[in-house]
Amino acid sequence: MTDLYQQIAALSPEQRALFEQRLKQRGIQLDSTLPVRIPKRAAATEIPLSFAQQRLWFIQQLDPENASYNVPSALKLTGPLHLVALQQTFDHLVQRHESLRTRFILNADQQPIQTIDPPKPVHLPLIDLSNLPDPDPQVQLLIQAAANTPFDLSQALLRLLLIRLDAQQHILLVTVHHIISDRWSVGVFLRELTILYNAFAQNQPSPLPDLPIQAADWAVWQRQQLQGERLDTQIAYWQQQLHNLSELELPTDYPRPAVPSYRGTQYPITLSQVLSDAVKSLAAQAGTTLFTVLLTAFQILLHRYTQQDDIVIGTDIANRDRSETAGLIGLLVNTIVLRTDLSGNPRFHELLERTKGVMRDAIAHQELPFEKLVEVLNPERSLSQMMPLFQVKLDLQLAAVQPPHLTGLKIERLASELTTVKYELRLNLQDTDQGIQGQIEYSTDLFEHDTIARLAGHFQTLLTGIVADPEQHLSDLPLLTPAEQQQLADWSRGASLDDSYPDGCIHSLFEAQVERTPDSIALIWQDQQLTYRYLNAEANGLAHYLLSLGILPETKVAVCLERTPQMVIALLAILKAGAAYVPLDPAYPQERHRFIFEDAAVNFLITESNLKRGLPDYELPHLILLDQSAWKEHSKPYFNKSSAHTSDNPNVHLSPAHLAYLIYT
């Protein structure tokens, strides 16, 4: 009977429907209580890539030096190490799991396929550092090299290295590519490492039962299952759910590069035991999961940072809901996209209900691989994007991957410094006995360390406010940490600024930055990128022209410009000349403009020809139209974009006590 169900499982959805129809015509009913098992693949056939493997293969072809999909593990082994047993363990693991001897090559049609090498002894190189007085620097170099050296997917995708510190201390480095592994697989690997090493160290055979299927069998089955009506239903849901996605406008420290470097690092985050218990209690009271509460809070944080109501976050699911997959080492994980509407300033518990609905529907349609979803939706993408469909990710591991327990050895997992990332921002949490903790992984192309540290503090403050009163509206939930609140209170009382705050005028601080980083990007507007050198040169030219007109310190200069680089140049030029600017909104009515002219007693106006037509017919001694060349003729020496231009800053003696601007609110 088992063989029959194995054969049925191998049928495509259309073949299965036809088979069941013919059985029904003969009065035969299949026993629906028996599980439909994943069959073993037919022998001597090309093995396709799973959908997830196909995406990773494509990414690696685009950037062969990308090491962000490496999965490294570093274990410190203290005690007498049984080298023969360790070698036997790895030999058996590679024999047992086809994925560990899988490579990815092109077939005759130039399409990627899996090829599985026959079992053979594993190469376990040994580096002896026992003669070094301080091996730590060399150890760190080896750990980082193992974690960050890219793989060639057509070659072996398992790398091992054993480092000997002395007779009783070793470090074992295990690195695989994500295309043959995922987080669940790491747990399987370490668990079986324990079982096999302990057996072989005592000259016993492997106690592990044979695997029912291999990861490649699952890949073939996944391709066969996801067809016909089943596929159409999944696609229809996601097309409706993710229609017209908007990009999350995260406030970054740096402009998004044209092509991401995938450089990144991580910042640790730990919720106290009290706060962790309170968040879990809130989840239980609301009849939902810990993940859903954390997701809702994270959405609120992103909403408050971006002021956007349409928040999209990615997350991973293990995709191991069948018993045959529990013991596999392979890439089975799937990514789902969670999109929530935060409009209307709801109370927290109301938003939690919305999020529960989003989660429920997403789990019901989780069969569609993320890679297939991207293929179907075909979103418009820029090379600057690290991922399609979402930029931010949240993952919660309900149990930490435990280190192996090897006979006679004390095992310690060593952290590898993260130098590459796959997402712009990822909150990766674990529910541990010491509370909820984890890391914020972030792209160093976009964010500074201090920015992420503030974000971590804001997330904890937000959660504290939520558990204290879930009835609060989103806009009322606290965000600032106690230290930030105190700083704000000090500023509002006019307290002196921290000694570390730079002293000097705004334009002087800008000029100092020009000296430090003249060719860095200072201003971005639409498709324009202005360097500090260029921006300073433009402002210097206008500033010298203003000085030639007789401007003195604290002379008030009206500015009526749109929010373009010209406005920034004008404001800087006025400050450099020692004057004070009076901003005018072009959208103001003429009566408002006239009042400001008269009340501020301005004699200078900087604007453009098309905006002048909307201003009142008011006599001003000096009118500067930035789109006309007359004033630039006077300032030609200041518009030579040479490197010497930073020396042309106006020499006007000013102090922070001088008037900088006058604004009418």
Side-chain angles (χ1 to χ4, degrees):
M1 182 64 71
T2 301
D3 290 342
L4 171 62
Y5 278 87
Q6 288 276 11
Q7 294 177 50
I8 294 172
L11 298 175
S12 70
E14 291 80 3
Q15 291 171 327
R16 181 183 170 92
L18 180 60
F19 177 66
E20 290 181 354
Q21 181 182 4
R22 291 182 177 176
L23 288 179
K24 190 174 182 180
Q25 292 171 349
R26 299 184 183 185
I28 302 173
Q29 183 70 38
L30 282 176
D31 184 356
S32 59
T33 63
L34 287 175
V36 177
R37 295 190 175 276
I38 300 173
K40 293 186 176 181
R41 65 188 184 276
T45 58
E46 283 191 349
I47 308 171
L49 279 60
S50 70
F51 291 104
Q53 287 176 326
Q54 184 171 299
R55 179 173 68 90
L56 293 194
W57 182 88
F58 182 71
I59 289 173
Q60 201 73 15
Q61 306 315 301
L62 288 177
D63 184 7
E65 298 305 309
N66 183 1
S68 60
Y69 287 94
N70 287 7
V71 183
S73 295
L75 302 172
K76 185 174 183 180
L77 316 176
T78 303
L81 178 62
H82 196 312
L83 278 173
V84 174
L86 188 63
Q87 179 70 54
Q88 289 176 315
T89 296
F90 285 120
D91 290 346
H92 192 84
L93 280 169
V94 170
Q95 179 183 9
R96 174 177 171 79
H97 294 279
E98 290 180 348
S99 54
L100 297 179
R101 42 192 168 91
T102 296
R103 297 181 293 112
F104 297 83
I105 62 173
L106 297 176
N107 64 9
D109 298 323
Q110 297 301 296
Q111 295 299 309
I113 59 171
Q114 301 187 54
T115 181
I116 300 170
D117 293 333
K120 64 180 181 180
V122 175
H123 180 49
L124 179 57
L126 173 65
I127 294 181
D128 192 345
L129 302 181
S130 58
N131 61 333
L132 297 181
D134 181 14
D136 284 349
Q138 186 65 26
V139 168
Q140 291 305 314
L141 288 174
L142 291 170
I143 290 176
Q144 295 310 315
N148 297 298
T149 300
F151 280 98
D152 177 352
L153 299 187
S154 67
Q155 302 300 318
L157 299 177
L158 168 67
R159 283 200 302 251
L160 301 173
L161 178 61
L162 187 63
I163 306 170
R164 174 180 290 149
L165 305 180
D166 56 45
Q168 296 293 310
Q169 292 190 91
H170 294 78
I171 293 176
L172 175 64
L173 305 181
V174 181
T175 311
V176 298
H177 194 280
H178 191 26
I179 200 169
I180 61 166
S181 181
D182 55 21
R183 188 177 185 279
W184 185 295
S185 300
V186 174
V188 172
F189 185 93
L190 295 177
R191 184 171 61 252
E192 293 191 354
L193 176 64
T194 297
I195 295 170
L196 293 171
Y197 177 89
N198 293 342
F200 295 148
Q202 300 176 43
N203 294 318
Q204 295 177 358
S206 165
L208 294 174
D210 291 340
L211 292 169
I213 61 169
Q214 293 287 338
D217 300 326
W218 181 87
V220 172
W221 174 81
Q222 182 197 41
R223 292 271 181 180
Q224 293 173 341
Q225 287 294 299
L226 212 58
Q227 301 179 39
E229 183 179 348
R230 188 172 189 168
L231 175 61
D232 294 341
T233 301
Q234 295 274 324
I235 289 175
Y237 166 78
W238 288 110
Q239 283 179 322
Q240 179 180 3
Q241 176 66 8
L242 303 181
H243 180 64
N244 283 341
L245 282 181
S246 55
E247 184 175 343
L248 200 61
E249 298 175 2
L250 289 168
T252 61
D253 296 305
Y254 304 106
R256 187 170 276 102
V259 178
S261 71
Y262 295 94
R263 288 189 298 266
T265 187
Q266 58 190 22
Y267 181 87
I269 181 171
T270 299
L271 308 187
S272 69
Q273 189 70 65
V274 172
L275 180 55
S276 298
D277 290 343
V279 174
K280 295 176 189 177
S281 177
L282 176 60
Q285 293 170 13
T288 189
T289 63
L290 173 60
F291 175 81
T292 304
V293 172
L294 293 171
L295 171 64
T296 307
F298 195 38
Q299 290 171 158
I300 296 171
L301 182 68
L302 296 174
H303 162 71
R304 294 281 291 272
Y305 267 49
T306 65
Q307 295 301 303
Q308 292 174 260
D309 295 331
D310 186 12
I311 303 297
V312 180
I313 296 176
T315 192
D316 283 344
I317 55 171
N319 215 15
R320 305 262 183 163
D321 53 346
R322 293 175 176 270
S323 60
E324 305 96 304
T325 61
L328 293 183
I329 292 176
L331 177 58
L332 277 65
V333 68
N334 192 24
T335 300
I336 56 175
V337 184
L338 305 171
R339 182 186 195 182
T340 307
D341 177 14
L342 280 74
S343 64
N345 194 25
R347 300 179 189 275
F348 174 80
H349 74 84
E350 295 170 343
L351 179 61
L352 184 60
E353 289 300 315
R354 292 186 196 176
T355 307
K356 285 167 64 175
V358 170
M359 281 295 304
R360 181 183 59 248
D361 293 344
I363 294 300
H365 298 87
Q366 64 175 304
E367 286 186 61
L368 188 68
F370 177 75
E371 296 70 27
K372 188 68 175 177
L373 174 63
V374 174
E375 176 187 324
V376 169
L377 295 182
N378 192 25
E380 183 177 344
R381 290 191 64 188
S382 164
L383 285 177
S384 66
Q385 291 179 304
M386 297 178 71
M387 285 288 290
L389 302 182
F390 66 89
Q391 299 145 265
V392 177
K393 196 160 182 277
L394 170 65
D395 289 315
L396 174 66
Q397 323 297 343
L398 295 178
V401 175
Q402 298 298 322
H405 302 281
L406 307 184
T407 299
L409 295 172
K410 177 185 174 183
I411 311 295
E412 177 188 356
R413 291 195 74 182
L414 303 179
S416 299
E417 181 183 351
L418 186 68
T419 61
T420 58
V421 292
K422 299 184 282 291
Y423 312 98
E424 293 181 8
L425 189 68
R426 179 193 183 210
L427 180 57
N428 185 26
L429 299 175
Q430 292 181 359
D431 182 15
T432 74
D433 294 337
Q434 292 76 43
I436 299 168
Q437 53 188 241
Q439 308 83 29
I440 301 175
E441 300 171 7
Y442 62 96
S443 166
T444 50
D445 285 347
L446 302 177
F447 300 104
E448 288 277 5
H449 171 274
D450 290 348
T451 299
I452 301 302
R454 283 194 299 272
L455 184 145
H458 293 163
F459 184 62
Q460 294 179 73
T461 301
L462 185 62
L463 280 171
T464 302
I466 287 170
V467 298
D469 182 9
E471 294 296 315
Q472 295 179 85
H473 290 280
L474 303 193
S475 60
D476 297 328
L477 287 166
L479 205 63
L480 298 182
T481 64
E484 289 172 325
Q485 291 174 347
Q486 182 61 50
Q487 188 179 53
L488 199 60
D490 290 343
W491 287 348
S492 67
R493 290 197 305 269
S496 62
L497 296 174
D498 187 278
D499 291 340
S500 64
Y501 192 85
D503 187 22
C505 298
I506 294 172
H507 65 281
S508 299
L509 299 175
F510 176 79
E511 289 165 358
Q513 185 64 39
V514 174
E515 292 290 340
R516 288 191 294 269
T517 59
D519 297 317
S520 295
I521 301 301
L523 188 149
I524 296 176
W525 184 73
Q526 295 182 353
D527 59 348
Q528 296 184 38
Q529 294 189 349
L530 276 60
T531 64
Y532 279 96
R533 188 200 311 274
Y534 182 92
L535 187 57
N536 195 55
E538 293 287 315
N540 281 346
L542 181 54
H544 282 282
Y545 179 65
L546 293 175
L547 289 169
S548 74
L549 297 178
I551 274 182
L552 298 172
E554 299 193 340
T555 299
K556 291 183 281 293
V557 181
V559 179
C560 185
L561 293 168
E562 301 286 359
R563 294 174 65 89
T564 67
Q566 292 289 70
M567 183 181 72
V568 178
I569 291 167
L571 299 185
L572 265 177
I574 293 168
L575 294 175
K576 282 170 172 280
Y581 61 82
V582 182
L584 301 175
D585 190 331
Y588 282 168
Q590 288 194 359
E591 293 77 8
R592 178 66 171 169
H593 286 142
R594 184 181 298 277
F595 167 77
I596 294 175
F597 284 148
E598 294 174 350
D599 190 71
V602 297
N603 291 320
F604 294 81
L605 170 64
I606 298 177
T607 186
E608 292 180 333
S609 301
N610 63 318
L611 297 176
K612 181 180 179 297
R613 290 190 289 269
L615 296 172
D617 186 13
Y618 191 83
E619 292 296 330
L620 289 170
H622 299 288
L623 173 65
I624 300 102
L625 299 176
L626 293 186
D627 57 331
Q628 294 189 5
S629 60
W631 71 273
K632 279 196 174 186
E633 291 297 320
H634 181 276
S635 305
K636 270 186 177 180
Y638 306 102
F639 289 91
N640 172 20
K641 307 305 185 297
S642 68
S643 60
H645 207 62
T646 54
S647 64
D648 294 332
N649 298 321
N651 186 20
V652 180
H653 297 291
L654 296 166
S655 76
H658 280 91
L659 183 66
Y661 65 89
L662 178 65
I663 190 166
Y664 288 78
T665 61

